[in-house]
mmCIF file of all heavy atoms in Angstrom:
data_model
loop_
_atom_site.group_PDB
_atom_site.id
_atom_site.type_symbol
_atom_site.label_atom_id
_atom_site.label_comp_id
_atom_site.label_asym_id
_atom_site.label_seq_id
_atom_site.Cartn_x
_atom_site.Cartn_y
_atom_site.Cartn_z
ATOM 1 N N ALA A 376 64.590 298.397 95.203
ATOM 2 C CA ALA A 376 63.280 299.002 94.957
ATOM 3 C C ALA A 376 63.003 299.126 93.462
ATOM 4 O O ALA A 376 61.886 298.870 92.996
ATOM 5 C CB ALA A 376 63.223 300.381 95.621
ATOM 6 N N GLU A 377 64.028 299.476 92.704
ATOM 7 C CA GLU A 377 63.866 299.596 91.252
ATOM 8 C C GLU A 377 63.560 298.237 90.627
ATOM 9 O O GLU A 377 62.734 298.131 89.708
ATOM 10 C CB GLU A 377 65.138 300.189 90.642
ATOM 11 C CG GLU A 377 65.047 300.433 89.151
ATOM 12 C CD GLU A 377 66.339 300.952 88.553
ATOM 13 O OE1 GLU A 377 67.261 301.318 89.333
ATOM 14 O OE2 GLU A 377 66.446 300.976 87.320
ATOM 15 N N ALA A 378 64.208 297.204 91.117
ATOM 16 C CA ALA A 378 63.979 295.857 90.585
ATOM 17 C C ALA A 378 62.557 295.387 90.873
ATOM 18 O O ALA A 378 61.889 294.804 90.010
ATOM 19 C CB ALA A 378 64.997 294.886 91.178
ATOM 20 N N ILE A 379 62.082 295.624 92.091
ATOM 21 C CA ILE A 379 60.714 295.237 92.449
ATOM 22 C C ILE A 379 59.716 295.963 91.552
ATOM 23 O O ILE A 379 58.765 295.363 91.033
ATOM 24 C CB ILE A 379 60.435 295.548 93.934
ATOM 25 C CG1 ILE A 379 61.278 294.625 94.838
ATOM 26 C CG2 ILE A 379 58.949 295.383 94.252
ATOM 27 C CD1 ILE A 379 61.233 295.004 96.302
ATOM 28 N N ARG A 380 59.925 297.262 91.360
ATOM 29 C CA ARG A 380 59.008 298.045 90.519
ATOM 30 C C ARG A 380 58.998 297.523 89.081
ATOM 31 O O ARG A 380 57.926 297.376 88.472
ATOM 32 C CB ARG A 380 59.403 299.520 90.542
ATOM 33 C CG ARG A 380 58.491 300.415 89.695
ATOM 34 C CD ARG A 380 58.745 301.891 89.933
ATOM 35 N NE ARG A 380 60.127 302.251 89.613
ATOM 36 C CZ ARG A 380 61.033 302.583 90.517
ATOM 37 N NH1 ARG A 380 60.712 302.587 91.805
ATOM 38 N NH2 ARG A 380 62.256 302.921 90.166
ATOM 39 N N ALA A 381 60.188 297.206 88.546
ATOM 40 C CA ALA A 381 60.278 296.744 87.157
ATOM 41 C C ALA A 381 59.539 295.425 86.965
ATOM 42 O O ALA A 381 58.768 295.258 86.005
ATOM 43 C CB ALA A 381 61.737 296.601 86.755
ATOM 44 N N VAL A 382 59.749 294.466 87.866
ATOM 45 C CA VAL A 382 59.093 293.161 87.740
ATOM 46 C C VAL A 382 57.593 293.295 88.003
ATOM 47 O O VAL A 382 56.770 292.692 87.297
ATOM 48 C CB VAL A 382 59.725 292.138 88.710
ATOM 49 C CG1 VAL A 382 58.984 290.810 88.659
ATOM 50 C CG2 VAL A 382 61.200 291.927 88.369
ATOM 51 N N PHE A 383 57.215 294.099 88.989
ATOM 52 C CA PHE A 383 55.802 294.288 89.339
ATOM 53 C C PHE A 383 55.018 294.846 88.157
ATOM 54 O O PHE A 383 53.917 294.381 87.846
ATOM 55 C CB PHE A 383 55.705 295.232 90.536
ATOM 56 C CG PHE A 383 54.291 295.552 90.950
ATOM 57 C CD1 PHE A 383 53.512 294.596 91.578
ATOM 58 C CD2 PHE A 383 53.754 296.806 90.707
ATOM 59 C CE1 PHE A 383 52.208 294.891 91.967
ATOM 60 C CE2 PHE A 383 52.463 297.106 91.098
ATOM 61 C CZ PHE A 383 51.680 296.143 91.724
ATOM 62 N N GLU A 384 55.599 295.827 87.476
ATOM 63 C CA GLU A 384 54.893 296.444 86.348
ATOM 64 C C GLU A 384 54.713 295.470 85.198
ATOM 65 O O GLU A 384 53.766 295.586 84.420
ATOM 66 C CB GLU A 384 55.651 297.688 85.879
ATOM 67 C CG GLU A 384 55.552 298.852 86.868
ATOM 68 C CD GLU A 384 56.364 300.061 86.439
ATOM 69 O OE1 GLU A 384 57.113 299.947 85.438
ATOM 70 O OE2 GLU A 384 56.255 301.108 87.096
ATOM 71 N N GLU A 385 55.566 294.501 85.081
ATOM 72 C CA GLU A 385 55.408 293.484 84.045
ATOM 73 C C GLU A 385 54.263 292.532 84.365
ATOM 74 O O GLU A 385 53.601 292.011 83.461
ATOM 75 C CB GLU A 385 56.698 292.682 83.892
ATOM 76 C CG GLU A 385 57.872 293.476 83.340
ATOM 77 C CD GLU A 385 59.166 292.671 83.329
ATOM 78 O OE1 GLU A 385 59.082 291.442 83.520
ATOM 79 O OE2 GLU A 385 60.244 293.268 83.145
ATOM 80 N N TYR A 386 54.005 292.315 85.640
ATOM 81 C CA TYR A 386 53.007 291.331 86.055
ATOM 82 C C TYR A 386 51.604 291.912 86.176
ATOM 83 O O TYR A 386 50.626 291.243 85.849
ATOM 84 C CB TYR A 386 53.401 290.727 87.409
ATOM 85 C CG TYR A 386 54.280 289.498 87.310
ATOM 86 C CD1 TYR A 386 55.664 289.613 87.228
ATOM 87 C CD2 TYR A 386 53.730 288.222 87.291
ATOM 88 C CE1 TYR A 386 56.474 288.493 87.128
ATOM 89 C CE2 TYR A 386 54.532 287.097 87.200
ATOM 90 C CZ TYR A 386 55.895 287.246 87.113
ATOM 91 O OH TYR A 386 56.693 286.133 87.021
ATOM 92 N N VAL A 387 51.494 293.101 86.711
ATOM 93 C CA VAL A 387 50.179 293.634 87.083
ATOM 94 C C VAL A 387 49.828 294.835 86.218
ATOM 95 O O VAL A 387 50.564 295.818 86.195
ATOM 96 C CB VAL A 387 50.154 294.039 88.571
ATOM 97 C CG1 VAL A 387 48.750 294.477 88.970
ATOM 98 C CG2 VAL A 387 50.602 292.870 89.439
ATOM 99 N N GLU A 388 48.712 294.759 85.520
ATOM 100 C CA GLU A 388 48.250 295.899 84.732
ATOM 101 C C GLU A 388 47.815 297.018 85.656
ATOM 102 O O GLU A 388 47.165 296.798 86.674
ATOM 103 C CB GLU A 388 47.088 295.466 83.841
ATOM 104 C CG GLU A 388 47.445 294.395 82.831
ATOM 105 C CD GLU A 388 46.240 293.936 82.038
ATOM 106 O OE1 GLU A 388 45.179 294.559 82.209
ATOM 107 O OE2 GLU A 388 46.378 292.985 81.267
ATOM 108 N N LYS A 389 48.143 298.240 85.283
ATOM 109 C CA LYS A 389 47.871 299.373 86.161
ATOM 110 C C LYS A 389 46.375 299.573 86.407
ATOM 111 O O LYS A 389 45.967 300.004 87.480
ATOM 112 C CB LYS A 389 48.486 300.642 85.569
ATOM 113 C CG LYS A 389 50.019 300.631 85.599
ATOM 114 C CD LYS A 389 50.604 301.946 85.138
ATOM 115 C CE LYS A 389 52.126 301.906 85.240
ATOM 116 N NZ LYS A 389 52.752 303.176 84.784
ATOM 117 N N ASN A 390 45.550 299.247 85.415
ATOM 118 C CA ASN A 390 44.113 299.456 85.625
ATOM 119 C C ASN A 390 43.503 298.453 86.595
ATOM 120 O O ASN A 390 42.322 298.538 86.924
ATOM 121 C CB ASN A 390 43.362 299.422 84.292
ATOM 122 C CG ASN A 390 43.541 298.093 83.559
ATOM 123 O OD1 ASN A 390 43.973 297.107 84.143
ATOM 124 N ND2 ASN A 390 43.216 298.088 82.281
ATOM 125 N N GLY A 391 44.307 297.511 87.030
ATOM 126 C CA GLY A 391 43.801 296.557 88.006
ATOM 127 C C GLY A 391 44.223 296.862 89.426
ATOM 128 O O GLY A 391 43.959 296.089 90.338
ATOM 129 N N LEU A 392 44.889 297.990 89.649
ATOM 130 C CA LEU A 392 45.432 298.315 90.960
ATOM 131 C C LEU A 392 44.508 299.201 91.790
ATOM 132 O O LEU A 392 44.610 299.237 93.007
ATOM 133 C CB LEU A 392 46.784 299.030 90.807
ATOM 134 C CG LEU A 392 47.862 298.265 90.049
ATOM 135 C CD1 LEU A 392 49.116 299.121 89.957
ATOM 136 C CD2 LEU A 392 48.163 296.960 90.720
ATOM 137 N N ASP A 393 43.621 299.920 91.104
ATOM 138 C CA ASP A 393 42.814 300.908 91.827
ATOM 139 C C ASP A 393 41.986 300.286 92.937
ATOM 140 O O ASP A 393 41.861 300.834 94.031
ATOM 141 C CB ASP A 393 41.896 301.653 90.849
ATOM 142 C CG ASP A 393 42.687 302.558 89.914
ATOM 143 O OD1 ASP A 393 43.819 302.930 90.304
ATOM 144 O OD2 ASP A 393 42.196 302.881 88.824
ATOM 145 N N GLU A 394 41.401 299.122 92.677
ATOM 146 C CA GLU A 394 40.546 298.485 93.676
ATOM 147 C C GLU A 394 41.348 298.101 94.921
ATOM 148 O O GLU A 394 40.855 298.217 96.044
ATOM 149 C CB GLU A 394 39.878 297.252 93.062
ATOM 150 C CG GLU A 394 38.772 296.676 93.952
ATOM 151 C CD GLU A 394 38.080 295.500 93.290
ATOM 152 O OE1 GLU A 394 38.454 295.145 92.144
ATOM 153 O OE2 GLU A 394 37.183 294.926 93.927
ATOM 154 N N ILE A 395 42.585 297.673 94.714
ATOM 155 C CA ILE A 395 43.431 297.305 95.852
ATOM 156 C C ILE A 395 43.792 298.556 96.655
ATOM 157 O O ILE A 395 43.756 298.557 97.886
ATOM 158 C CB ILE A 395 44.711 296.598 95.368
ATOM 159 C CG1 ILE A 395 44.344 295.289 94.661
ATOM 160 C CG2 ILE A 395 45.644 296.307 96.530
ATOM 161 C CD1 ILE A 395 45.516 294.564 94.061
ATOM 162 N N VAL A 396 44.120 299.635 95.952
ATOM 163 C CA VAL A 396 44.466 300.881 96.639
ATOM 164 C C VAL A 396 43.281 301.393 97.443
ATOM 165 O O VAL A 396 43.436 301.930 98.547
ATOM 166 C CB VAL A 396 44.927 301.938 95.611
ATOM 167 C CG1 VAL A 396 45.158 303.289 96.297
ATOM 168 C CG2 VAL A 396 46.205 301.488 94.921
ATOM 169 N N GLN A 397 42.050 301.219 96.913
ATOM 170 C CA GLN A 397 40.851 301.681 97.624
ATOM 171 C C GLN A 397 40.669 300.971 98.961
ATOM 172 O O GLN A 397 40.109 301.525 99.905
ATOM 173 C CB GLN A 397 39.625 301.471 96.745
ATOM 174 C CG GLN A 397 39.562 302.423 95.544
ATOM 175 C CD GLN A 397 38.467 302.048 94.570
ATOM 176 O OE1 GLN A 397 37.644 301.170 94.860
ATOM 177 N NE2 GLN A 397 38.452 302.709 93.420
ATOM 178 N N VAL A 398 41.163 299.723 99.047
ATOM 179 C CA VAL A 398 41.074 298.989 100.323
ATOM 180 C C VAL A 398 41.813 299.750 101.414
ATOM 181 O O VAL A 398 41.332 299.882 102.551
ATOM 182 C CB VAL A 398 41.677 297.571 100.159
ATOM 183 C CG1 VAL A 398 41.797 296.893 101.516
ATOM 184 C CG2 VAL A 398 40.826 296.745 99.214
ATOM 185 N N PHE A 399 42.980 300.285 101.073
ATOM 186 C CA PHE A 399 43.743 301.048 102.054
ATOM 187 C C PHE A 399 43.058 302.367 102.384
ATOM 188 O O PHE A 399 43.210 302.899 103.477
ATOM 189 C CB PHE A 399 45.160 301.306 101.510
ATOM 190 C CG PHE A 399 45.985 300.063 101.395
ATOM 191 C CD1 PHE A 399 45.999 299.326 100.224
ATOM 192 C CD2 PHE A 399 46.728 299.606 102.471
ATOM 193 C CE1 PHE A 399 46.742 298.175 100.116
ATOM 194 C CE2 PHE A 399 47.485 298.453 102.373
ATOM 195 C CZ PHE A 399 47.490 297.735 101.188
ATOM 196 N N GLY A 400 42.269 302.886 101.436
ATOM 197 C CA GLY A 400 41.539 304.126 101.695
ATOM 198 C C GLY A 400 40.467 303.952 102.749
ATOM 199 O O GLY A 400 39.982 304.934 103.334
ATOM 200 N N LYS A 401 40.081 302.733 103.024
ATOM 201 C CA LYS A 401 39.084 302.457 104.063
ATOM 202 C C LYS A 401 39.735 302.275 105.435
ATOM 203 O O LYS A 401 39.089 301.819 106.380
ATOM 204 C CB LYS A 401 38.303 301.199 103.696
ATOM 205 C CG LYS A 401 37.516 301.333 102.396
ATOM 206 C CD LYS A 401 36.853 300.013 102.027
ATOM 207 C CE LYS A 401 36.136 300.120 100.684
ATOM 208 N NZ LYS A 401 35.530 298.835 100.274
ATOM 209 N N GLY A 402 41.007 302.590 105.510
ATOM 210 C CA GLY A 402 41.693 302.512 106.798
ATOM 211 C C GLY A 402 42.357 301.195 107.070
ATOM 212 O O GLY A 402 42.816 300.943 108.191
ATOM 213 N N VAL A 403 42.447 300.319 106.063
ATOM 214 C CA VAL A 403 43.088 299.029 106.265
ATOM 215 C C VAL A 403 44.610 299.204 106.299
ATOM 216 O O VAL A 403 45.191 299.881 105.461
ATOM 217 C CB VAL A 403 42.703 298.046 105.134
ATOM 218 C CG1 VAL A 403 43.512 296.771 105.233
ATOM 219 C CG2 VAL A 403 41.219 297.737 105.194
ATOM 220 N N LYS A 404 45.220 298.596 107.289
ATOM 221 C CA LYS A 404 46.672 298.552 107.369
ATOM 222 C C LYS A 404 47.092 297.090 107.334
ATOM 223 O O LYS A 404 46.456 296.251 107.974
ATOM 224 C CB LYS A 404 47.184 299.205 108.656
ATOM 225 C CG LYS A 404 46.915 300.697 108.747
ATOM 226 C CD LYS A 404 47.524 301.274 110.016
ATOM 227 C CE LYS A 404 47.263 302.779 110.113
ATOM 228 N NZ LYS A 404 47.865 303.350 111.338
ATOM 229 N N ILE A 405 48.117 296.805 106.598
ATOM 230 C CA ILE A 405 48.576 295.422 106.463
ATOM 231 C C ILE A 405 50.022 295.333 106.904
ATOM 232 O O ILE A 405 50.881 296.055 106.411
ATOM 233 C CB ILE A 405 48.427 294.915 105.020
ATOM 234 C CG1 ILE A 405 46.961 294.983 104.605
ATOM 235 C CG2 ILE A 405 48.961 293.497 104.887
ATOM 236 C CD1 ILE A 405 46.699 294.530 103.193
ATOM 237 N N GLU A 406 50.262 294.459 107.873
ATOM 238 C CA GLU A 406 51.603 294.277 108.426
ATOM 239 C C GLU A 406 52.233 293.032 107.815
ATOM 240 O O GLU A 406 51.590 291.982 107.718
ATOM 241 C CB GLU A 406 51.523 294.142 109.947
ATOM 242 C CG GLU A 406 52.894 294.054 110.620
ATOM 243 C CD GLU A 406 52.759 293.858 112.122
ATOM 244 O OE1 GLU A 406 52.196 292.819 112.521
ATOM 245 O OE2 GLU A 406 53.225 294.723 112.865
ATOM 246 N N VAL A 407 53.485 293.148 107.406
ATOM 247 C CA VAL A 407 54.211 292.011 106.863
ATOM 248 C C VAL A 407 55.551 291.906 107.576
ATOM 249 O O VAL A 407 56.003 292.849 108.223
ATOM 250 C CB VAL A 407 54.427 292.156 105.338
ATOM 251 C CG1 VAL A 407 53.107 292.303 104.617
ATOM 252 C CG2 VAL A 407 55.343 293.333 105.022
ATOM 253 N N GLY A 408 56.199 290.760 107.431
ATOM 254 C CA GLY A 408 57.510 290.564 108.051
ATOM 255 C C GLY A 408 58.031 289.182 107.747
ATOM 256 O O GLY A 408 57.253 288.253 107.483
ATOM 257 N N ASP A 409 59.349 289.042 107.780
ATOM 258 C CA ASP A 409 59.933 287.765 107.376
ATOM 259 C C ASP A 409 59.665 286.650 108.377
ATOM 260 O O ASP A 409 59.841 285.480 108.056
ATOM 261 C CB ASP A 409 61.445 287.915 107.150
ATOM 262 C CG ASP A 409 62.197 288.227 108.416
ATOM 263 O OD1 ASP A 409 61.825 289.204 109.098
ATOM 264 O OD2 ASP A 409 63.159 287.507 108.730
ATOM 265 N N MET A 410 59.225 286.995 109.603
ATOM 266 C CA MET A 410 58.950 285.946 110.586
ATOM 267 C C MET A 410 57.465 285.842 110.943
ATOM 268 O O MET A 410 57.104 285.182 111.902
ATOM 269 C CB MET A 410 59.773 286.178 111.859
ATOM 270 C CG MET A 410 61.262 285.905 111.688
ATOM 271 S SD MET A 410 61.625 284.267 110.997
ATOM 272 C CE MET A 410 61.004 283.208 112.314
ATOM 273 N N LEU A 411 56.599 286.478 110.135
ATOM 274 C CA LEU A 411 55.164 286.347 110.366
ATOM 275 C C LEU A 411 54.655 285.061 109.708
ATOM 276 O O LEU A 411 55.023 284.764 108.561
ATOM 277 C CB LEU A 411 54.414 287.544 109.785
ATOM 278 C CG LEU A 411 54.506 288.856 110.576
ATOM 279 C CD1 LEU A 411 53.798 289.957 109.815
ATOM 280 C CD2 LEU A 411 53.905 288.694 111.961
ATOM 281 N N PRO A 412 53.805 284.289 110.388
ATOM 282 C CA PRO A 412 53.246 283.079 109.777
ATOM 283 C C PRO A 412 52.405 283.421 108.559
ATOM 284 O O PRO A 412 51.786 284.485 108.489
ATOM 285 C CB PRO A 412 52.371 282.486 110.903
ATOM 286 C CG PRO A 412 52.869 283.118 112.158
ATOM 287 C CD PRO A 412 53.359 284.478 111.781
ATOM 288 N N SER A 413 52.353 282.525 107.599
ATOM 289 C CA SER A 413 51.557 282.754 106.391
ATOM 290 C C SER A 413 50.082 282.880 106.724
ATOM 291 O O SER A 413 49.339 283.599 106.050
ATOM 292 C CB SER A 413 51.780 281.601 105.405
ATOM 293 O OG SER A 413 53.139 281.522 105.028
ATOM 294 N N ALA A 414 49.639 282.181 107.772
ATOM 295 C CA ALA A 414 48.237 282.257 108.169
ATOM 296 C C ALA A 414 47.847 283.674 108.588
ATOM 297 O O ALA A 414 46.687 284.070 108.477
ATOM 298 C CB ALA A 414 47.962 281.281 109.318
ATOM 299 N N HIS A 415 48.806 284.463 109.057
ATOM 300 C CA HIS A 415 48.556 285.847 109.461
ATOM 301 C C HIS A 415 48.043 286.652 108.269
ATOM 302 O O HIS A 415 47.120 287.469 108.409
ATOM 303 C CB HIS A 415 49.850 286.471 109.994
ATOM 304 C CG HIS A 415 49.787 287.951 110.190
ATOM 305 N ND1 HIS A 415 49.397 288.528 111.375
ATOM 306 C CD2 HIS A 415 50.069 288.976 109.339
ATOM 307 C CE1 HIS A 415 49.442 289.849 111.243
ATOM 308 N NE2 HIS A 415 49.855 290.138 110.015
ATOM 309 N N TYR A 416 48.598 286.408 107.101
ATOM 310 C CA TYR A 416 48.197 287.145 105.906
ATOM 311 C C TYR A 416 46.779 286.748 105.507
ATOM 312 O O TYR A 416 45.949 287.595 105.178
ATOM 313 C CB TYR A 416 49.156 286.841 104.757
ATOM 314 C CG TYR A 416 50.559 287.342 104.975
ATOM 315 C CD1 TYR A 416 51.434 286.675 105.818
ATOM 316 C CD2 TYR A 416 51.021 288.481 104.328
ATOM 317 C CE1 TYR A 416 52.731 287.112 106.018
ATOM 318 C CE2 TYR A 416 52.315 288.945 104.515
ATOM 319 C CZ TYR A 416 53.165 288.249 105.372
ATOM 320 O OH TYR A 416 54.443 288.699 105.570
#
Side-chain angles (χ1 to χ4, degrees):
E377 183 183 349
I379 292 171
R380 180 170 60 250
V382 176
F383 177 72
E384 289 177 353
E385 293 175 13
Y386 271 87
V387 185
E388 298 176 7
K389 291 186 178 179
N390 59 16
L392 302 179
D393 291 337
E394 191 177 359
I395 297 176
V396 174
Q397 289 171 9
V398 171
F399 292 91
K401 298 175 183 178
V403 172
K404 295 183 180 181
I405 300 179
E406 184 183 62
V407 302
D409 66 306
M410 288 307 295
L411 285 176
S413 299
H415 169 91
Y416 294 77

